[in-house]
Amino acid sequence: MSRRVKIATLAAVGLALSACSAPAPDASWAPPEWPTQTLTVTTMPAHLDADAFSSLPAFRLRNDDVGVQARWIELPGPASFDTKVTEIIRAFIDARVAASGVAYTPAAVPPGSGLGDRGCISGSTNRTASDILADPLLGPEDEAGVAVVCDIVVATGPYLGQRIRAVSSDSTDTTVVVYANTSTGEAATADKLWAEDALVALHSEIVNLVRRDTDSLGVSVQPPDEAGRALMSAALAQTVVTPDGTLVVPVAAGFTSPELRSLGITPTTERLVIGVPGGLAANLLTPLGADLLLVAVAGGQFTPPATVPAGREPVDCTFVPCVALTYDDGPSELTPGILDELAKRHASATFFITGERARFNVELLKRTLGEGHLVENHTFSHPNLPRLSPARIAAEIEDTNAAILAAAGVPARVFRPPYGEYSDMVLQTAQMAAILWDVDSLDYAKVSDDVVLSRTVDLPQPGSIVLQHDIHSNTARTAGAVYDGLLDRGFVLVNLEQLFNGELPTSGVIRRLPSGF
Amino acid sequence: MTASGMSRTRLLRGRARVIAVVASAILVSLIVVGILLTTVLPSSLLSSSARVAKAETTVTVGDQGAPVTVSVPPGWVTQWSPLQGHTVVVTSPDRVLTISISATGADSARAFADASRDAGAIDGPLTEELGSGLSVMHARSGDDALIAAVGVPDGARSATVVARAAAEDLEQYLPAVGQILDGLHVPS
C-alpha cells in the first residue's frame, strides 16, 4: 500500500468516527420535578353559622326504641337535595336497626323533651364522637345508638352544602357532604364532584406528598387496594369547596400504600386534611364539581329557593312522626288567629268547613288554601247524617262541595260527618272517604284550656288525627301552645294529604294513619 | 578471544538489540491498541449506536429469555455497546445525566452489594417499593453518582442502575432517575 493510500484511509476512518459522534444536547430540556408539589396539608374550613339559614326547613328526629337522634335541614318545596339527605339519614338509621334488632317506626317522645329546637347546631360535626353521643341535644338516649348531626359548610350562589355526620356508640363514624344546586335542582354527594379517575390520582398525589419527606426515588404509585379505595372514597365524599378555590379533602386515619410501608412509614394515625388547589383539581372534576368551584371562587351570595307553604312540603310520615290537626265547623272569626299560629311554626292543618260558613268567608278560605292548608267537606248545615234521607245526605255533601269550589276554586276530596256519625248509606251517598279522628280535644265540651292543651299535646301518637274546632275560643287560645307542645315531642304538623303521603283516601272510614302505611 | 570470536559476539549482540526493539515496539503497539479498545473504541462504538427516542420507547437488555426492559422517555438518548451486551446507557436530552442499566443474574440485594463494592464507599442504602411493584435498593455514591438495584421482591434476577451527573446537578436530576427506575421491568 502506498503512503498516499494509507493517509487517505486514515482520513476516511477519522471522518467516519467524527460523523458518528453522539447527538447534540438539547439545551432547552429541563429535568422533571417531583410530582405533587401542589397538594397541601391544611385544616378543615370553618362551618357556616346555622342561624343564618333559619328560613330553611329544619328537622330533628329521636327514636328511643331504636336508639337514634338526628338533625338536618332541607330545602323548601320538593327537592332532590331533600331526598338525598333523607336517604343518607335513613341508611344510618337502617344500620342501627340492623345492629339493634329493633324495627324502625316513627316515634314521638314525651312532652318536655325539647325537640322543637331543630336543624343543625353550628360546629356539631366537628365535635368529638364521645362529645356528640353524650350531648342530649345531639346524642341518642343513654348514649346508646346513633347520633346524626349536621353543619352547613358551603352556601354560595345557587349552591348549598350540608355536612352530615353519623356517630354510633359502636364506634362507627361516617361523614358525607351533600350539595344542592338550587338553580338546576341537582343534588349530589361530594364524591360526585370528582371524575372517575380522581380517586386514584389523588391517592397517588398524597403518597407522593408523604414520601417526598424521605429520600425516596419513587414517582408513580400503585392503584389503591380495596381498603385504600374505601378510605379515599369516604374522603372525597366529604369534599368542601372553599372561596379561595381549594377543594379540602379530609382523609381519615389509616392512609397507607405499599410504597409508604416499604419506606417504614406507618399508616396515618390522625385525619390528614388535604388541600387540592383548583388548578390541579380542574382536570379531575365533573361538570358539577367544576361549576361549584367556579361559583365558590366568584363568592356570590347564597340564593335559596322561594319558600313553600308548609302544607305543600313533601313529608314522609313513615320516617318522621306526623300528627294531623283538624279543625271543624269553621271558618270563624277565630280562624285567622289559628292560621297565624300555624304560619309562625311553618305547620299545616286541615279545615273541615260547613257550606253555610263557606259562603260568607270567601277571602278567609282563599287565605287558608293559599297558606297550604286543606279545606274539606263538613256538610252544609252540620246535621246528623244517618238520620237523613239519601237525597238530603247527597244535598248536604254536594252543596258544600259546590260552595268550597265556588269560594276557593278547588274541590273537596274527603268529608267528615258531623259528630262522627255515619252509616253505610252515608258513605255510599257521599262517595268520599270519611275522615274521623283518634284524638278528641274535647274543646266543644267547655273544658279548661289546660285540658285542651294536655289532651291535644299528650295523647297523639305518630299518625294521629286530632279533632278540634276553630269556633271555640279555648282552641284559639291554646293553638300556639298546642303546636309548640307537639313540636316539643318531635312531631311534624301536617295536613291530611301529607299524612297520607300525597294521596288522600278515596273511600272508607279513616281514624288515623294505619300502622304499616 | 580470537578476532572471529569477537565478531560473532558483536553479531549476536546486534541481533539481540533488534529483537528487543521489535519486542518493545510490539508491546507498545499492544498497549496502544488496548487503550484504544478500552477507551476510544467503546465510546466510538457507543456513539455510533446512539439513538434519540422520538417517543416513549421500550428497550431490552440482557438475557433474551428474561430480559430487563427499560422505558426510555422521549428525547433521551439510548446507547449500546456490543462489548457490554448486558448494559444499556441512557442519557438525558441535555446530556447532564447518564444512567447505565445492566441486567444481572443475581437478586437485587446481591447485585446492589456487588455494585457498591465496585463503586467504593457509599451511604446507607434505602429500600422501597416502586409504583411498578418492584423493589429498589438505592444509595448515593459520592456526590456525583447514585447506585441502585431493582428487582421483584425475593426475585432471582435484578437490574443494577448507576446514575451519574456532576455533583452540583445530581440532586436536581433525581426525579429523572426515579422516572427511569419507574419504567424498569425486571423478570422474577
Side-chain angles (χ1 to χ4, degrees), chain A residues 152-375:
Chain A
I152 308 298
V153 291
V154 171
T156 179
Y159 284 101
L160 182 77
Q162 178 177 201
R163 181 192 292 138
I164 301 170
R165 179 181 174 197
V167 176
S168 174
S169 53
D170 65 8
S171 299
T172 59
D173 192 341
T174 309
T175 302
V176 63
V177 176
V178 184
Y179 286 99
N181 182 331
T182 59
S183 175
T184 64
E186 190 175 2
T189 48
D191 53 310
K192 300 296 188 295
L193 303 178
W194 297 98
E196 201 171 325
D197 53 355
L199 186 150
V200 172
L202 289 178
H203 172 269
S204 171
E205 295 277 344
I206 295 169
V207 170
N208 275 322
L209 177 73
V210 174
R211 70 180 171 186
R212 278 294 72 80
D213 291 337
T214 71
D215 290 330
S216 168
L217 291 175
V219 176
S220 71
V221 177
Q222 299 171 48
D225 59 13
E226 198 174 323
R229 289 191 74 88
L231 198 73
M232 284 304 297
S233 183
L236 296 181
Q238 299 177 53
T239 303
V240 174
V241 184
T242 65
D244 69 359
T246 301
L247 289 96
V248 179
V249 180
V251 182
F255 183 87
T256 187
S257 78
E259 296 85 1
L260 297 179
R261 285 193 297 271
S262 72
L263 289 164
I265 299 172
T266 54
T268 54
T269 55
E270 293 179 352
R271 184 172 69 170
L272 184 64
V273 181
I274 298 295
V276 186
L280 172 65
N283 295 327
L284 300 173
L285 293 173
T286 59
L288 175 68
D291 189 54
L292 171 54
L293 180 61
L294 204 64
V295 170
V297 172
Q301 182 99 15
F302 173 58
T303 47
T307 54
V308 170
R312 297 195 193 122
E313 297 276 11
V315 181
D316 184 351
C317 294
T318 66
F319 181 48
V320 294
C322 296
V323 60
L325 297 173
T326 62
Y327 294 91
D328 288 6
D329 300 351
S332 77
E333 71 283 1
L334 300 177
T335 308
I338 291 172
L339 292 174
D340 290 344
E341 295 297 330
L342 286 167
K344 283 180 194 170
R345 293 158 183 86
H346 199 60
S348 185
T350 302
F351 292 82
F352 286 101
I353 66 164
T354 62
E356 277 179 345
R357 288 179 177 261
R359 290 185 299 174
F360 305 108
N361 291 282
V362 171
E363 290 307 313
L364 188 50
L365 286 181
K366 285 181 177 170
R367 178 190 167 185
T368 305
L369 284 163
E371 293 179 5
H373 309 294
L374 295 191
V375 173

Side-chain angles (χ1 to χ4, degrees), chain B residues 52-77:
Chain B
V52 179
K54 296 268 192 295
E56 185 93 9
T57 306
T58 301
V59 299
T60 61
V61 59
D63 183 356
Q64 290 305 304
V68 170
T69 63
V70 186
S71 183
V72 182
W76 284 61
V77 180

Side-chain angles (χ1 to χ4, degrees), chain B residues 57-143:
Chain B
T57 306
T58 301
V59 299
T60 61
V61 59
D63 183 356
Q64 290 305 304
V68 170
T69 63
V70 186
S71 183
V72 182
W76 284 61
V77 180
T78 307
Q79 294 172 287
W80 295 91
S81 170
L83 303 179
Q84 296 169 295
H86 291 279
T87 301
V88 64
V89 178
V90 293
T91 308
S92 61
D94 59 1
R95 309 295 181 270
V96 173
L97 175 69
T98 299
I99 303 175
S100 173
I101 302 157
S102 303
T104 78
D107 63 52
S108 54
R110 173 77 181 276
F112 183 81
D114 291 345
S116 304
R117 195 165 45 249
D118 294 345
I122 59 167
D123 300 336
L126 179 69
T127 301
E128 63 176 312
E129 190 167 330
L130 296 169
S132 61
L134 297 179
S135 175
V136 59
M137 184 179 287
H138 58 87
R140 295 286 283 270
S141 173
D143 294 333

